[in-house]
């Protein structure tokens, strides 16, 4: 089984607190693939606690938490990331995803707009904004956002 082989490699390479995050990210991704979301979130949380530069692992943890349906935790992590990296379109788009999953469409649109303001060259952010605006039945705004995305691609 390739997953078992990958797990053996990641476990061999993984040392708690090590600088290289690839082994812990690999382990967490395997856990998530196996639907062991709680274990993955816990492992990443322990690693985040040991780091000076917390953001890279926090981003992974936030995505795993959202995939697990842990929306409140994912939102909490995303909000902390927004304080650490206020100019990150990736963080704003994550917050947009979380808010949309919680049914807060206005909040999701607001965060997607912030991503386009931070990174106006980011076609993905414009597409997400257009999608959310269309879902909100704001057709004129959605068309503008989609046109902008097409210009950038």
């Amino acid at each position: 089984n390739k997953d078992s082989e990958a797990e053996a490699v990641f476990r061999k390479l993984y040392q708690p607190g090590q600088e290289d995050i690839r082994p812990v990210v690999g382990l967490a991704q395997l856990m998530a693939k196996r639907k062991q979301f709680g274990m993955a979130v816990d492992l990443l949380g322990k690693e985040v606690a040991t780091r000076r530069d917390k953001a890279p692992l926090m981003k992974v943890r936030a995505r795993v938490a959202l995939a697990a349906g842990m929306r409140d935790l994912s939102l909490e992590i995303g909000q902390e990331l927004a304080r650490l990296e206020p100019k990150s379109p990736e963080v704003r788009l994550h917050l947009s995803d979380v808010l949309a999953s919680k049914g807060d469409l206005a909040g999701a649109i607001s965060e997607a707009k912030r991503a386009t303001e931070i990174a106006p060259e980011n076609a993905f952010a414009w597409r997400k904004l257009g999608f959310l605006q269309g879902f909100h039945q704001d057709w004129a705004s959605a068309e503008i956002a989609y046109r902008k995305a097409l210009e950038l691609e």
Side-chain angles (χ1 to χ4, degrees), residues 76-123:
E76 180 183 312
I77 296 166
Q79 290 168 334
E80 178 63 22
L81 279 165
R83 286 187 284 281
L84 293 172
E85 296 185 351
K87 301 281 189 201
S88 170
E90 176 188 6
V91 169
R92 294 297 168 186
L93 291 172
H94 172 75
L95 285 170
S96 178
D97 288 343
V98 176
L99 292 168
S101 77
K102 290 175 70 74
D104 181 357
L105 193 53
I109 290 169
S110 176
E111 290 296 345
K113 279 183 185 174
R114 289 177 87 177
T116 64
E117 292 163 1
I118 292 166
E121 74 291 347
N122 187 322

Side-chain angles (χ1 to χ4, degrees), residues 126-127 129-131 133 140-150:
W126 286 103
R127 275 195 315 276
L129 177 59
F131 172 81
Q133 289 169 326
S141 296
E143 181 181 359
I144 291 167
Y146 277 126
R147 286 185 187 280
K148 183 66 177 175
L150 288 171

Side-chain angles (χ1 to χ4, degrees), residues 58-59 61-62 65 72-82:
M58 287 176 70
K59 290 175 185 175
R61 188 172 188 237
D72 291 338
L73 176 60
S74 190
L75 180 60
E76 180 183 312
I77 296 166
Q79 290 168 334
E80 178 63 22
L81 279 165

Side-chain angles (χ1 to χ4, degrees), residues 14-67:
Y14 171 63
Q15 297 294 320
Q18 73 191 62
E19 190 173 328
D20 185 358
I21 67 170
R22 291 175 296 181
V24 71
V25 169
L27 274 175
Q29 288 173 333
L30 281 172
M31 290 172 182
K33 182 178 178 184
R34 293 175 177 161
K35 308 284 188 231
Q36 298 169 326
F37 295 111
M39 289 174 61
V41 168
D42 289 346
L43 174 63
L44 291 165
K46 288 175 186 169
E47 282 297 315
V48 165
T50 68
R51 311 258 169 189
R52 253 191 354 265
D53 182 12
K54 298 177 180 313
L57 283 177
M58 287 176 70
K59 290 175 185 175
V60 176
R61 188 172 188 237
R63 287 191 300 270
V64 170
L66 183 58

